[in-house]
Amino acid sequence: MSNRVISYLCVVVVAVELLAISCAWTTSAIDPFGPFNNPLSGEGVRWMFRNMMSAMMSEWLVALLLLAMSLGCLKGSGLLKSLSQRFPYHTSGALHYRERMGLRLAAVITAAFLMVMVVLTTLPEALLLSATGKVFPSPFSAAIVPAVSLWIAVTSMAFGIIKGSFSTIHQVFDSFFNGISRFAPLIVLMLLSLHCFNVIKMLVK
């Protein structure tokens, strides 16, 4: 999705929120006992200021930030590029020695990650299952996005160090920052959408 489209979506979200506030104010002025709260009343204004930040807080926002960081590390490491060179031809000749070693290490880390997840979710009385033995919802389902983000970041860092894409810790964190920069338009859109949603939720009695 291009930045231009996201910019227009941000404008639409802001317009929807302003329209909802205007409609709720008009409706509540006509019928104080109607289905909407008055956003410009004393209590409404206090709610707006008191919940200005909490209205934009969400687990989905944290998940987006984590995925943005990990995907930035994935791109910066060159892992995707090496995988695209390796698998269509099924030959190691197209890759340098350090790239082949990095792919092997990435495969080992992935296998270890999957093994740990399987052990923690499939064995009897597994630690990450719910009290009723279900996977969804459970501690595993609650942490799946952070766990996947961690796997992507660790695998990418290991490959990048072996290949030489990351020679300093500064370059590793630069890849995290670049990932957030790439997803910045979506982050802004999510912040505005969360605020709009929670304001409309407050307006409805």
Side-chain angles (χ1 to χ4, degrees):
M1 192 180 297
S2 66
N3 290 354
R4 181 185 295 272
V5 173
I6 295 178
S7 299
Y8 287 131
L9 288 176
C10 288
V11 172
V12 170
V13 170
V14 172
V16 168
E17 181 172 343
L18 292 176
L19 181 62
I21 291 173
S22 300
C23 291
W25 174 70
T26 304
T27 304
S28 60
I30 297 173
D31 182 10
F33 300 101
F36 298 104
N37 293 310
N38 186 353
L40 300 183
S41 66
E43 182 59 32
V45 172
R46 282 193 296 272
W47 185 95
M48 293 285 187
F49 277 83
R50 185 172 58 245
N51 297 282
M52 191 171 293
M53 292 185 64
S54 62
M56 293 182 284
M57 293 180 182
S58 170
E59 293 180 354
W60 293 104
L61 178 60
V62 177
L64 178 60
L65 288 170
L66 290 174
L67 287 174
M69 292 170 60
S70 60
L71 292 176
C73 187
L74 178 64
K75 180 174 177 58
S77 68
L79 177 56
L80 287 179
K81 183 178 179 181
S82 296
L83 285 172
S84 66
Q85 291 176 341
R86 175 67 179 89
F87 284 103
Y89 303 101
H90 297 283
T91 174
S92 60
L95 299 176
H96 297 295
Y97 171 75
R98 297 183 69 173
E99 288 180 291
R100 296 198 299 272
M101 293 301 297
L103 287 177
R104 290 170 187 165
L105 179 58
V108 170
I109 294 174
T110 300
F113 173 81
L114 292 175
M115 186 181 302
V116 170
M117 290 298 103
V118 168
V119 168
L120 293 177
T121 56
T122 60
L123 293 181
E125 299 183 4
L127 293 176
L128 296 186
L129 295 180
S130 65
T132 58
K134 296 181 179 179
V135 176
F136 296 97
S138 69
F140 170 76
S141 62
I144 190 167
V145 172
V148 170
S149 300
L150 179 62
W151 162 63
I152 294 174
V154 171
T155 305
S156 302
M157 281 190 289
F159 176 84
I161 291 171
I162 296 295
K163 181 186 176 183
S165 302
F166 300 140
S167 56
T168 63
I169 191 67
H170 171 70
Q171 291 177 325
V172 174
F173 279 90
D174 261 352
S175 68
F176 292 152
F177 305 151
N178 290 335
I180 293 177
S181 177
R182 287 177 177 274
F183 281 80
L186 282 176
I187 293 171
V188 173
L189 177 60
M190 180 170 283
L191 285 170
L192 294 175
S193 300
L194 287 169
H195 193 272
C196 178
F197 172 77
N198 285 296
V199 167
I200 292 176
K201 200 163 104 174
M202 181 276 293
L203 294 175
V204 179
K205 289 183 179 179

